[in-house]
Amino acid sequence: MFRLVAFLVFYCCFLCAHEVEGQRHTPVIEFHDIISDTLVLNHSKFPESYRMKMVTNHKGADFLYVFDCKKGGFEIFDLWTKTHIKTINPPVVEGLPGFKAVSFDIMSPNEIYMLSQKGNLIQLDSAGKMVEHWLVTQELDNEEYAISVSDHLNNFAVMDQKAYLPIMHAYQKNGSFTLKGKPAMIVYDLAAGEVEKEFAGYPKSTYKSNNLPSPKYEFTTLKMKDEERLVISYLKDPELKAYKFKNNKAKSSKAESPFLNDNRIRPQKDQFGNVIQYSNPNGFYHNIYYDENRQLFYRTVAHHHDNGNSLARRPFSIQVIDKNFNLLSEIKVPGSEPLDHMKLTVIKEGILLQICQQKKPEEVRFLVLDVNKSFRD
């Protein structure tokens, strides 16, 4: 009897200590408490649907590249002077009428990569002129998978003349489907113009077909240039995988959000079903960003909601994760706020979030969040 009581006391103490420790290391922070500034850009033709990335040139100036998801071009702003610098129009690719980029990667102001859903990858210079073009799908004609890109995710990367591209696997003829042991990406050699190898994999939760919203199991990718790693974040799993470019070995870690504890992956009979209708009520992990100045990751988490099919304007949070993939805190943004989890980027001052409700048509206003206050006393 004494042993049983002692065991129960020890077990309860262990659970309490574990819970306290988890709460101490992953506090929930209200975003109002870490607002440090408001940034205003004046531009009457600012895109409605866009994604952003800050790029620093060789002189140290900070430029905000705003990618127009509908048109496929860029609007570029100087964050030092808060002024619009220039427009890069959607590229016209010879032999590809109607080319439309849905995702992009920027190595430098003079090395911009754009990818279409059909697998056309092009490189632009700083003036927006095409430098080179690759048709990746030509290399995949006899494979059981295809290129899979999204205009809501930063899910391809270019590193050392290699393009890391996500792929979508096909169902077997008998209707069975599994991702166990299958690659999540391919590596395309830009110099040779051919697929070099298969790359990365999937978390265990995605192996069975009834765990998939569709065969297009989306994820975001993020390159860490200094450490030569490619970090993958999956929409329906808290796992992060950091792959080494050279040997394809991964370090796995989980950064689980308390707001997705009830997240259930429902069976989807229609393999081409509406992923938006599926994902909205359930919530999901979304884009992941790297802050080189602070050596931190930020991952957005879209919470459960019942406001129709809109991917935007919903309650969300921003996870703050250190370089060893430990979850430091989670910044909570209520759905009542006029902020969008897809309109976020990292600048030197912290996290930049657009205020969706503008006071003047010609102004675009952003909040700057001081990330240091989210996990330091």
Side-chain angles (χ1 to χ4, degrees), residues 28-31 257 259-260 283-284 286 289 299-305 311-319 330-344 351-354 356 367 369:
V28 174
I29 308 297
E30 296 294 333
F31 90 102
S257 170
F259 300 104
L260 294 188
F284 50 91
H286 208 251
Y289 308 82
R299 178 167 63 172
T300 50
V301 180
H303 299 180
H304 313 278
H305 84 132
L311 281 172
R313 296 304 305 275
R314 61 188 296 161
F316 69 96
S317 53
I318 305 169
Q319 294 182 314
E330 193 149 344
I331 304 166
K332 182 181 178 182
V333 182
S336 58
E337 295 295 332
L339 300 169
D340 187 342
H341 70 281
M342 293 188 291
K343 295 176 179 178
L344 175 154
I351 295 176
L352 197 66
L353 273 173
Q354 191 212 330
C356 298
L367 290 180
L369 304 185

mmCIF file of all heavy atoms in Angstrom, residues 28-31 257 259-260 283-284 286 289 299-305 311-319 330-344 351-354 356 367 369:
data_model
loop_
_atom_site.group_PDB
_atom_site.id
_atom_site.type_symbol
_atom_site.label_atom_id
_atom_site.label_comp_id
_atom_site.label_asym_id
_atom_site.label_seq_id
_atom_site.Cartn_x
_atom_site.Cartn_y
_atom_site.Cartn_z
ATOM 1 N N VAL A 28 1.992 32.097 -23.437
ATOM 2 C CA VAL A 28 1.172 32.748 -24.458
ATOM 3 C C VAL A 28 1.224 34.250 -24.210
ATOM 4 O O VAL A 28 0.937 34.717 -23.110
ATOM 5 C CB VAL A 28 -0.278 32.238 -24.417
ATOM 6 C CG1 VAL A 28 -1.143 33.029 -25.389
ATOM 7 C CG2 VAL A 28 -0.329 30.747 -24.761
ATOM 8 N N ILE A 29 1.611 35.006 -25.244
ATOM 9 C CA ILE A 29 1.790 36.450 -25.145
ATOM 10 C C ILE A 29 0.713 37.154 -25.961
ATOM 11 O O ILE A 29 0.444 36.785 -27.109
ATOM 12 C CB ILE A 29 3.184 36.866 -25.674
ATOM 13 C CG1 ILE A 29 4.297 36.054 -25.002
ATOM 14 C CG2 ILE A 29 3.404 38.361 -25.496
ATOM 15 C CD1 ILE A 29 4.415 36.264 -23.517
ATOM 16 N N GLU A 30 0.064 38.155 -25.390
ATOM 17 C CA GLU A 30 -0.891 38.962 -26.138
ATOM 18 C C GLU A 30 -0.128 39.944 -27.032
ATOM 19 O O GLU A 30 0.790 40.625 -26.566
ATOM 20 C CB GLU A 30 -1.806 39.724 -25.188
ATOM 21 C CG GLU A 30 -2.692 38.838 -24.332
ATOM 22 C CD GLU A 30 -3.710 38.060 -25.152
ATOM 23 O OE1 GLU A 30 -4.081 38.550 -26.245
ATOM 24 O OE2 GLU A 30 -4.126 36.976 -24.707
ATOM 25 N N PHE A 31 -0.509 40.006 -28.294
ATOM 26 C CA PHE A 31 0.268 40.811 -29.232
ATOM 27 C C PHE A 31 0.226 42.303 -28.884
ATOM 28 O O PHE A 31 1.144 43.057 -29.222
ATOM 29 C CB PHE A 31 -0.199 40.547 -30.665
ATOM 30 C CG PHE A 31 -1.291 41.442 -31.149
ATOM 31 C CD1 PHE A 31 -1.016 42.509 -31.991
ATOM 32 C CD2 PHE A 31 -2.611 41.244 -30.755
ATOM 33 C CE1 PHE A 31 -2.019 43.339 -32.436
ATOM 34 C CE2 PHE A 31 -3.612 42.057 -31.198
ATOM 35 C CZ PHE A 31 -3.325 43.110 -32.053
ATOM 36 N N SER A 257 1.400 23.741 -30.831
ATOM 37 C CA SER A 257 0.637 24.900 -30.381
ATOM 38 C C SER A 257 -0.499 24.466 -29.462
ATOM 39 O O SER A 257 -1.217 23.513 -29.762
ATOM 40 C CB SER A 257 0.053 25.640 -31.587
ATOM 41 O OG SER A 257 -0.860 26.628 -31.172
ATOM 42 N N PHE A 259 -3.174 25.901 -29.191
ATOM 43 C CA PHE A 259 -4.430 26.263 -29.844
ATOM 44 C C PHE A 259 -4.900 25.210 -30.843
ATOM 45 O O PHE A 259 -5.982 25.331 -31.408
ATOM 46 C CB PHE A 259 -4.286 27.609 -30.544
ATOM 47 C CG PHE A 259 -3.922 28.726 -29.605
ATOM 48 C CD1 PHE A 259 -2.630 29.223 -29.561
ATOM 49 C CD2 PHE A 259 -4.864 29.246 -28.733
ATOM 50 C CE1 PHE A 259 -2.282 30.244 -28.688
ATOM 51 C CE2 PHE A 259 -4.527 30.261 -27.855
ATOM 52 C CZ PHE A 259 -3.236 30.765 -27.832
ATOM 53 N N LEU A 260 -4.084 24.183 -31.089
ATOM 54 C CA LEU A 260 -4.471 23.117 -32.001
ATOM 55 C C LEU A 260 -4.529 21.778 -31.290
ATOM 56 O O LEU A 260 -4.375 20.725 -31.918
ATOM 57 C CB LEU A 260 -3.503 23.036 -33.190
ATOM 58 C CG LEU A 260 -3.487 24.228 -34.144
ATOM 59 C CD1 LEU A 260 -2.632 23.912 -35.361
ATOM 60 C CD2 LEU A 260 -4.884 24.599 -34.587
ATOM 61 N N GLY A 283 -8.069 24.370 -38.342
ATOM 62 C CA GLY A 283 -6.830 25.074 -38.020
ATOM 63 C C GLY A 283 -5.630 24.312 -38.563
ATOM 64 O O GLY A 283 -5.707 23.122 -38.871
ATOM 65 N N PHE A 284 -4.497 24.996 -38.673
ATOM 66 C CA PHE A 284 -3.311 24.362 -39.245
ATOM 67 C C PHE A 284 -2.082 25.226 -38.968
ATOM 68 O O PHE A 284 -2.177 26.418 -38.698
ATOM 69 C CB PHE A 284 -3.471 24.159 -40.758
ATOM 70 C CG PHE A 284 -3.919 25.394 -41.502
ATOM 71 C CD1 PHE A 284 -3.007 26.277 -42.044
ATOM 72 C CD2 PHE A 284 -5.271 25.679 -41.657
ATOM 73 C CE1 PHE A 284 -3.416 27.415 -42.716
ATOM 74 C CE2 PHE A 284 -5.702 26.806 -42.332
ATOM 75 C CZ PHE A 284 -4.767 27.679 -42.866
ATOM 76 N N HIS A 286 1.147 27.130 -40.419
ATOM 77 C CA HIS A 286 1.266 27.778 -41.728
ATOM 78 C C HIS A 286 2.717 28.161 -41.995
ATOM 79 O O HIS A 286 3.624 27.393 -41.685
ATOM 80 C CB HIS A 286 0.332 28.989 -41.790
ATOM 81 C CG HIS A 286 -0.129 29.305 -43.173
ATOM 82 N ND1 HIS A 286 0.301 30.416 -43.858
ATOM 83 C CD2 HIS A 286 -0.960 28.652 -44.011
ATOM 84 C CE1 HIS A 286 -0.261 30.446 -45.058
ATOM 85 N NE2 HIS A 286 -1.028 29.390 -45.176
ATOM 86 N N TYR A 289 9.198 31.413 -40.878
ATOM 87 C CA TYR A 289 10.136 32.477 -41.258
ATOM 88 C C TYR A 289 11.381 32.356 -40.374
ATOM 89 O O TYR A 289 11.307 31.883 -39.243
ATOM 90 C CB TYR A 289 9.517 33.859 -41.040
ATOM 91 C CG TYR A 289 8.160 34.039 -41.680
ATOM 92 C CD1 TYR A 289 6.999 33.587 -41.048
ATOM 93 C CD2 TYR A 289 8.030 34.671 -42.903
ATOM 94 C CE1 TYR A 289 5.750 33.747 -41.623
ATOM 95 C CE2 TYR A 289 6.784 34.839 -43.492
ATOM 96 C CZ TYR A 289 5.650 34.375 -42.845
ATOM 97 O OH TYR A 289 4.415 34.542 -43.417
ATOM 98 N N ARG A 299 6.669 30.824 -36.687
ATOM 99 C CA ARG A 299 5.714 30.040 -37.469
ATOM 100 C C ARG A 299 4.295 30.482 -37.121
ATOM 101 O O ARG A 299 3.923 30.552 -35.948
ATOM 102 C CB ARG A 299 5.870 28.541 -37.194
ATOM 103 C CG ARG A 299 4.847 27.706 -37.966
ATOM 104 C CD ARG A 299 5.156 26.230 -37.973
ATOM 105 N NE ARG A 299 5.121 25.631 -36.660
ATOM 106 C CZ ARG A 299 5.211 24.315 -36.438
ATOM 107 N NH1 ARG A 299 5.351 23.494 -37.468
ATOM 108 N NH2 ARG A 299 5.173 23.838 -35.210
ATOM 109 N N THR A 300 3.514 30.789 -38.144
ATOM 110 C CA THR A 300 2.134 31.202 -37.905
ATOM 111 C C THR A 300 1.250 29.966 -37.745
ATOM 112 O O THR A 300 1.444 28.947 -38.425
ATOM 113 C CB THR A 300 1.606 32.077 -39.051
ATOM 114 O OG1 THR A 300 1.862 31.432 -40.299
ATOM 115 C CG2 THR A 300 2.282 33.426 -39.057
ATOM 116 N N VAL A 301 0.282 30.084 -36.840
ATOM 117 C CA VAL A 301 -0.663 28.999 -36.560
ATOM 118 C C VAL A 301 -2.072 29.550 -36.757
ATOM 119 O O VAL A 301 -2.482 30.463 -36.035
ATOM 120 C CB VAL A 301 -0.507 28.469 -35.122
ATOM 121 C CG1 VAL A 301 -1.502 27.332 -34.866
ATOM 122 C CG2 VAL A 301 0.923 28.005 -34.868
ATOM 123 N N ALA A 302 -2.786 29.045 -37.751
ATOM 124 C CA ALA A 302 -4.165 29.464 -37.990
ATOM 125 C C ALA A 302 -5.071 28.647 -37.075
ATOM 126 O O ALA A 302 -5.050 27.415 -37.110
ATOM 127 C CB ALA A 302 -4.538 29.250 -39.452
ATOM 128 N N HIS A 303 -5.879 29.310 -36.242
ATOM 129 C CA HIS A 303 -6.717 28.627 -35.266
ATOM 130 C C HIS A 303 -8.020 28.147 -35.900
ATOM 131 O O HIS A 303 -8.390 28.555 -37.004
ATOM 132 C CB HIS A 303 -7.033 29.560 -34.099
ATOM 133 C CG HIS A 303 -5.826 30.009 -33.359
ATOM 134 N ND1 HIS A 303 -5.876 30.850 -32.266
ATOM 135 C CD2 HIS A 303 -4.495 29.737 -33.534
ATOM 136 C CE1 HIS A 303 -4.654 31.077 -31.808
ATOM 137 N NE2 HIS A 303 -3.802 30.427 -32.577
ATOM 138 N N HIS A 304 -8.732 27.299 -35.165
ATOM 139 C CA HIS A 304 -10.057 26.845 -35.601
ATOM 140 C C HIS A 304 -10.995 28.046 -35.720
ATOM 141 O O HIS A 304 -10.963 28.948 -34.887
ATOM 142 C CB HIS A 304 -10.647 25.875 -34.571
ATOM 143 C CG HIS A 304 -9.695 24.822 -34.124
ATOM 144 N ND1 HIS A 304 -9.467 23.684 -34.829
ATOM 145 C CD2 HIS A 304 -8.896 24.753 -33.033
ATOM 146 C CE1 HIS A 304 -8.583 22.939 -34.195
ATOM 147 N NE2 HIS A 304 -8.216 23.562 -33.104
ATOM 148 N N HIS A 305 -11.849 28.047 -36.733
ATOM 149 C CA HIS A 305 -12.887 29.066 -36.814
ATOM 150 C C HIS A 305 -13.970 28.609 -37.781
ATOM 151 O O HIS A 305 -13.783 27.671 -38.559
ATOM 152 C CB HIS A 305 -12.300 30.428 -37.220
ATOM 153 C CG HIS A 305 -12.121 30.608 -38.694
ATOM 154 N ND1 HIS A 305 -12.535 31.721 -39.360
ATOM 155 C CD2 HIS A 305 -11.561 29.810 -39.630
ATOM 156 C CE1 HIS A 305 -12.246 31.608 -40.648
ATOM 157 N NE2 HIS A 305 -11.658 30.465 -40.834
ATOM 158 N N LEU A 311 -9.319 31.977 -45.869
ATOM 159 C CA LEU A 311 -8.084 31.583 -45.188
ATOM 160 C C LEU A 311 -7.581 32.710 -44.299
ATOM 161 O O LEU A 311 -6.799 32.493 -43.384
ATOM 162 C CB LEU A 311 -7.009 31.220 -46.222
ATOM 163 C CG LEU A 311 -7.112 29.829 -46.851
ATOM 164 C CD1 LEU A 311 -6.114 29.706 -47.983
ATOM 165 C CD2 LEU A 311 -6.892 28.748 -45.827
ATOM 166 N N ALA A 312 -8.002 33.918 -44.586
ATOM 167 C CA ALA A 312 -7.514 35.081 -43.848
ATOM 168 C C ALA A 312 -8.524 35.505 -42.788
ATOM 169 O O ALA A 312 -9.566 34.880 -42.599
ATOM 170 C CB ALA A 312 -7.254 36.227 -44.820
ATOM 171 N N ARG A 313 -8.214 36.592 -42.069
ATOM 172 C CA ARG A 313 -9.080 37.201 -41.069
ATOM 173 C C ARG A 313 -9.662 36.160 -40.110
ATOM 174 O O ARG A 313 -10.862 35.943 -40.042
ATOM 175 C CB ARG A 313 -10.178 38.005 -41.735
ATOM 176 C CG ARG A 313 -9.674 39.193 -42.524
ATOM 177 C CD ARG A 313 -8.836 40.145 -41.674
ATOM 178 N NE ARG A 313 -9.554 40.588 -40.490
ATOM 179 C CZ ARG A 313 -10.399 41.623 -40.497
ATOM 180 N NH1 ARG A 313 -10.613 42.292 -41.602
ATOM 181 N NH2 ARG A 313 -11.015 41.995 -39.391
ATOM 182 N N ARG A 314 -8.816 35.531 -39.372
ATOM 183 C CA ARG A 314 -9.203 34.515 -38.420
ATOM 184 C C ARG A 314 -8.272 34.628 -37.214
ATOM 185 O O ARG A 314 -7.200 35.227 -37.311
ATOM 186 C CB ARG A 314 -9.086 33.121 -39.046
ATOM 187 C CG ARG A 314 -7.670 32.795 -39.487
ATOM 188 C CD ARG A 314 -7.594 31.512 -40.285
ATOM 189 N NE ARG A 314 -7.965 30.350 -39.514
ATOM 190 C CZ ARG A 314 -8.329 29.186 -40.061
ATOM 191 N NH1 ARG A 314 -8.374 29.062 -41.370
ATOM 192 N NH2 ARG A 314 -8.654 28.162 -39.308
ATOM 193 N N PRO A 315 -8.630 34.076 -36.066
ATOM 194 C CA PRO A 315 -7.684 34.091 -34.949
ATOM 195 C C PRO A 315 -6.443 33.280 -35.306
ATOM 196 O O PRO A 315 -6.539 32.222 -35.932
ATOM 197 C CB PRO A 315 -8.472 33.437 -33.808
ATOM 198 C CG PRO A 315 -9.553 32.664 -34.470
ATOM 199 C CD PRO A 315 -9.885 33.405 -35.724
ATOM 200 N N PHE A 316 -5.292 33.799 -34.932
ATOM 201 C CA PHE A 316 -4.056 33.082 -35.217
ATOM 202 C C PHE A 316 -3.018 33.423 -34.152
ATOM 203 O O PHE A 316 -3.222 34.305 -33.309
ATOM 204 C CB PHE A 316 -3.533 33.398 -36.619
ATOM 205 C CG PHE A 316 -3.026 34.811 -36.817
ATOM 206 C CD1 PHE A 316 -1.679 35.120 -36.700
ATOM 207 C CD2 PHE A 316 -3.905 35.840 -37.140
ATOM 208 C CE1 PHE A 316 -1.213 36.419 -36.898
ATOM 209 C CE2 PHE A 316 -3.454 37.134 -37.344
ATOM 210 C CZ PHE A 316 -2.098 37.420 -37.222
ATOM 211 N N SER A 317 -1.925 32.735 -34.194
ATOM 212 C CA SER A 317 -0.818 33.018 -33.279
ATOM 213 C C SER A 317 0.488 32.872 -34.029
ATOM 214 O O SER A 317 0.544 32.301 -35.123
ATOM 215 C CB SER A 317 -0.866 32.090 -32.059
ATOM 216 O OG SER A 317 -0.928 30.741 -32.451
ATOM 217 N N ILE A 318 1.539 33.404 -33.430
ATOM 218 C CA ILE A 318 2.874 33.346 -34.018
ATOM 219 C C ILE A 318 3.792 32.660 -33.025
ATOM 220 O O ILE A 318 4.020 33.166 -31.924
ATOM 221 C CB ILE A 318 3.406 34.752 -34.345
ATOM 222 C CG1 ILE A 318 2.420 35.499 -35.249
ATOM 223 C CG2 ILE A 318 4.782 34.663 -35.000
ATOM 224 C CD1 ILE A 318 2.736 36.981 -35.393
ATOM 225 N N GLN A 319 4.294 31.506 -33.391
ATOM 226 C CA GLN A 319 5.225 30.789 -32.521
ATOM 227 C C GLN A 319 6.619 31.390 -32.641
ATOM 228 O O GLN A 319 7.077 31.691 -33.739
ATOM 229 C CB GLN A 319 5.275 29.312 -32.900
ATOM 230 C CG GLN A 319 3.981 28.562 -32.647
ATOM 231 C CD GLN A 319 4.104 27.094 -32.990
ATOM 232 O OE1 GLN A 319 4.632 26.735 -34.038
ATOM 233 N NE2 GLN A 319 3.614 26.232 -32.103
ATOM 234 N N GLU A 330 4.328 31.894 -27.648
ATOM 235 C CA GLU A 330 3.377 31.968 -28.745
ATOM 236 C C GLU A 330 2.587 33.269 -28.607
ATOM 237 O O GLU A 330 1.964 33.516 -27.575
ATOM 238 C CB GLU A 330 2.445 30.751 -28.734
ATOM 239 C CG GLU A 330 1.641 30.615 -30.008
ATOM 240 C CD GLU A 330 1.319 29.163 -30.356
ATOM 241 O OE1 GLU A 330 1.963 28.249 -29.801
ATOM 242 O OE2 GLU A 330 0.433 28.956 -31.186
ATOM 243 N N ILE A 331 2.665 34.097 -29.642
ATOM 244 C CA ILE A 331 2.022 35.403 -29.642
ATOM 245 C C ILE A 331 0.601 35.245 -30.182
ATOM 246 O O ILE A 331 0.408 34.837 -31.328
ATOM 247 C CB ILE A 331 2.817 36.395 -30.514
ATOM 248 C CG1 ILE A 331 4.265 36.486 -30.028
ATOM 249 C CG2 ILE A 331 2.160 37.770 -30.503
ATOM 250 C CD1 ILE A 331 5.199 37.167 -31.015
ATOM 251 N N LYS A 332 -0.395 35.584 -29.377
ATOM 252 C CA LYS A 332 -1.795 35.365 -29.736
ATOM 253 C C LYS A 332 -2.405 36.618 -30.352
ATOM 254 O O LYS A 332 -2.305 37.712 -29.795
ATOM 255 C CB LYS A 332 -2.589 34.956 -28.493
ATOM 256 C CG LYS A 332 -4.052 34.666 -28.759
ATOM 257 C CD LYS A 332 -4.771 34.304 -27.464
ATOM 258 C CE LYS A 332 -6.256 34.053 -27.707
ATOM 259 N NZ LYS A 332 -6.972 33.744 -26.446
ATOM 260 N N VAL A 333 -3.049 36.438 -31.513
ATOM 261 C CA VAL A 333 -3.731 37.528 -32.194
ATOM 262 C C VAL A 333 -5.213 37.143 -32.344
ATOM 263 O O VAL A 333 -5.533 36.199 -33.064
ATOM 264 C CB VAL A 333 -3.128 37.811 -33.579
ATOM 265 C CG1 VAL A 333 -3.835 38.987 -34.239
ATOM 266 C CG2 VAL A 333 -1.633 38.082 -33.474
ATOM 267 N N PRO A 334 -6.134 37.828 -31.675
ATOM 268 C CA PRO A 334 -7.559 37.482 -31.765
ATOM 269 C C PRO A 334 -8.112 37.709 -33.167
ATOM 270 O O PRO A 334 -7.622 38.552 -33.925
ATOM 271 C CB PRO A 334 -8.222 38.440 -30.762
ATOM 272 C CG PRO A 334 -7.111 38.932 -29.889
ATOM 273 C CD PRO A 334 -5.881 38.931 -30.744
ATOM 274 N N GLY A 335 -9.155 36.965 -33.504
ATOM 275 C CA GLY A 335 -9.779 37.113 -34.812
ATOM 276 C C GLY A 335 -10.496 38.432 -34.986
ATOM 277 O O GLY A 335 -10.825 38.828 -36.100
ATOM 278 N N SER A 336 -10.749 39.137 -33.880
ATOM 279 C CA SER A 336 -11.411 40.437 -33.949
ATOM 280 C C SER A 336 -10.487 41.539 -34.447
ATOM 281 O O SER A 336 -10.938 42.627 -34.801
ATOM 282 C CB SER A 336 -11.956 40.819 -32.569
ATOM 283 O OG SER A 336 -10.900 40.840 -31.611
ATOM 284 N N GLU A 337 -9.169 41.259 -34.476
ATOM 285 C CA GLU A 337 -8.203 42.264 -34.921
ATOM 286 C C GLU A 337 -8.111 42.287 -36.447
ATOM 287 O O GLU A 337 -8.170 41.238 -37.090
ATOM 288 C CB GLU A 337 -6.825 41.973 -34.317
ATOM 289 C CG GLU A 337 -6.769 42.104 -32.808
ATOM 290 C CD GLU A 337 -7.000 43.535 -32.344
ATOM 291 O OE1 GLU A 337 -6.683 44.470 -33.114
ATOM 292 O OE2 GLU A 337 -7.486 43.703 -31.222
ATOM 293 N N PRO A 338 -7.947 43.470 -37.049
ATOM 294 C CA PRO A 338 -7.857 43.565 -38.508
ATOM 295 C C PRO A 338 -6.457 43.201 -39.019
ATOM 296 O O PRO A 338 -5.775 43.995 -39.665
ATOM 297 C CB PRO A 338 -8.187 45.044 -38.772
ATOM 298 C CG PRO A 338 -7.676 45.746 -37.550
ATOM 299 C CD PRO A 338 -7.928 44.800 -36.403
ATOM 300 N N LEU A 339 -6.004 41.988 -38.686
ATOM 301 C CA LEU A 339 -4.679 41.527 -39.069
ATOM 302 C C LEU A 339 -4.804 40.185 -39.788
ATOM 303 O O LEU A 339 -5.730 39.425 -39.551
ATOM 304 C CB LEU A 339 -3.778 41.388 -37.839
ATOM 305 C CG LEU A 339 -3.558 42.669 -37.031
ATOM 306 C CD1 LEU A 339 -2.893 42.353 -35.701
ATOM 307 C CD2 LEU A 339 -2.719 43.664 -37.814
ATOM 308 N N ASP A 340 -3.828 39.887 -40.642
ATOM 309 C CA ASP A 340 -3.896 38.717 -41.508
ATOM 310 C C ASP A 340 -2.643 37.876 -41.301
ATOM 311 O O ASP A 340 -1.524 38.366 -41.447
ATOM 312 C CB ASP A 340 -3.998 39.192 -42.964
ATOM 313 C CG ASP A 340 -4.235 38.059 -43.949
ATOM 314 O OD1 ASP A 340 -3.991 36.890 -43.595
ATOM 315 O OD2 ASP A 340 -4.657 38.344 -45.077
ATOM 316 N N HIS A 341 -2.818 36.586 -40.988
ATOM 317 C CA HIS A 341 -1.665 35.718 -40.727
ATOM 318 C C HIS A 341 -0.841 35.426 -41.981
ATOM 319 O O HIS A 341 0.272 34.927 -41.883
ATOM 320 C CB HIS A 341 -2.124 34.395 -40.109
ATOM 321 C CG HIS A 341 -2.871 33.501 -41.052
ATOM 322 N ND1 HIS A 341 -4.193 33.697 -41.367
ATOM 323 C CD2 HIS A 341 -2.481 32.410 -41.755
ATOM 324 C CE1 HIS A 341 -4.584 32.759 -42.212
ATOM 325 N NE2 HIS A 341 -3.570 31.970 -42.468
ATOM 326 N N MET A 342 -1.380 35.738 -43.160
ATOM 327 C CA MET A 342 -0.631 35.515 -44.392
ATOM 328 C C MET A 342 0.153 36.754 -44.839
ATOM 329 O O MET A 342 0.927 36.677 -45.785
ATOM 330 C CB MET A 342 -1.577 35.065 -45.503
ATOM 331 C CG MET A 342 -2.185 33.692 -45.258
ATOM 332 S SD MET A 342 -3.112 33.054 -46.657
ATOM 333 C CE MET A 342 -4.516 34.171 -46.677
ATOM 334 N N LYS A 343 -0.079 37.891 -44.173
ATOM 335 C CA LYS A 343 0.596 39.131 -44.562
ATOM 336 C C LYS A 343 1.572 39.532 -43.467
ATOM 337 O O LYS A 343 1.357 40.479 -42.714
ATOM 338 C CB LYS A 343 -0.442 40.214 -44.851
ATOM 339 C CG LYS A 343 -1.303 39.851 -46.059
ATOM 340 C CD LYS A 343 -2.405 40.848 -46.331
ATOM 341 C CE LYS A 343 -3.206 40.437 -47.562
ATOM 342 N NZ LYS A 343 -4.325 41.346 -47.849
ATOM 343 N N LEU A 344 2.644 38.768 -43.395
ATOM 344 C CA LEU A 344 3.639 38.910 -42.334
ATOM 345 C C LEU A 344 5.016 38.721 -42.941
ATOM 346 O O LEU A 344 5.201 37.937 -43.877
ATOM 347 C CB LEU A 344 3.364 37.849 -41.261
ATOM 348 C CG LEU A 344 4.301 37.668 -40.070
ATOM 349 C CD1 LEU A 344 3.527 37.080 -38.894
ATOM 350 C CD2 LEU A 344 5.472 36.752 -40.401
ATOM 351 N N ILE A 351 8.751 41.719 -36.164
ATOM 352 C CA ILE A 351 7.779 41.132 -37.090
ATOM 353 C C ILE A 351 6.866 42.233 -37.633
ATOM 354 O O ILE A 351 6.370 43.063 -36.886
ATOM 355 C CB ILE A 351 6.927 40.062 -36.380
ATOM 356 C CG1 ILE A 351 7.811 38.878 -35.946
ATOM 357 C CG2 ILE A 351 5.809 39.566 -37.283
ATOM 358 C CD1 ILE A 351 7.069 37.831 -35.150
ATOM 359 N N LEU A 352 6.654 42.205 -38.948
ATOM 360 C CA LEU A 352 5.821 43.193 -39.620
ATOM 361 C C LEU A 352 4.485 42.554 -39.979
ATOM 362 O O LEU A 352 4.433 41.536 -40.669
ATOM 363 C CB LEU A 352 6.524 43.689 -40.882
ATOM 364 C CG LEU A 352 6.036 44.986 -41.522
ATOM 365 C CD1 LEU A 352 6.302 46.165 -40.610
ATOM 366 C CD2 LEU A 352 6.713 45.185 -42.876
ATOM 367 N N LEU A 353 3.379 43.153 -39.499
ATOM 368 C CA LEU A 353 2.027 42.656 -39.763
ATOM 369 C C LEU A 353 1.183 43.767 -40.372
ATOM 370 O O LEU A 353 1.114 44.867 -39.818
ATOM 371 C CB LEU A 353 1.357 42.200 -38.460
ATOM 372 C CG LEU A 353 1.567 40.766 -37.977
ATOM 373 C CD1 LEU A 353 0.963 40.611 -36.590
ATOM 374 C CD2 LEU A 353 0.938 39.778 -38.936
ATOM 375 N N GLN A 354 0.518 43.487 -41.488
ATOM 376 C CA GLN A 354 -0.302 44.529 -42.094
ATOM 377 C C GLN A 354 -1.624 44.707 -41.352
ATOM 378 O O GLN A 354 -2.263 43.744 -40.943
ATOM 379 C CB GLN A 354 -0.617 44.226 -43.555
ATOM 380 C CG GLN A 354 -1.246 45.425 -44.265
ATOM 381 C CD GLN A 354 -2.234 45.050 -45.350
ATOM 382 O OE1 GLN A 354 -2.107 44.020 -45.965
ATOM 383 N NE2 GLN A 354 -3.221 45.893 -45.589
ATOM 384 N N CYS A 356 -5.259 45.419 -41.898
ATOM 385 C CA CYS A 356 -6.104 45.264 -43.100
ATOM 386 C C CYS A 356 -7.056 46.431 -43.311
ATOM 387 O O CYS A 356 -7.405 46.758 -44.443
ATOM 388 C CB CYS A 356 -6.878 43.953 -43.005
ATOM 389 S SG CYS A 356 -5.809 42.503 -42.944
ATOM 390 N N LEU A 367 1.864 47.036 -38.333
ATOM 391 C CA LEU A 367 2.324 47.012 -36.948
ATOM 392 C C LEU A 367 3.676 46.330 -36.891
ATOM 393 O O LEU A 367 3.926 45.358 -37.620
ATOM 394 C CB LEU A 367 1.343 46.249 -36.055
ATOM 395 C CG LEU A 367 -0.017 46.887 -35.769
ATOM 396 C CD1 LEU A 367 -0.841 45.969 -34.877
ATOM 397 C CD2 LEU A 367 0.151 48.253 -35.114
ATOM 398 N N LEU A 369 6.053 44.279 -34.308
ATOM 399 C CA LEU A 369 6.059 43.591 -33.023
ATOM 400 C C LEU A 369 7.490 43.410 -32.545
ATOM 401 O O LEU A 369 8.350 42.936 -33.296
ATOM 402 C CB LEU A 369 5.381 42.225 -33.141
ATOM 403 C CG LEU A 369 3.942 42.199 -33.677
ATOM 404 C CD1 LEU A 369 3.391 40.784 -33.602
ATOM 405 C CD2 LEU A 369 3.046 43.167 -32.905
#
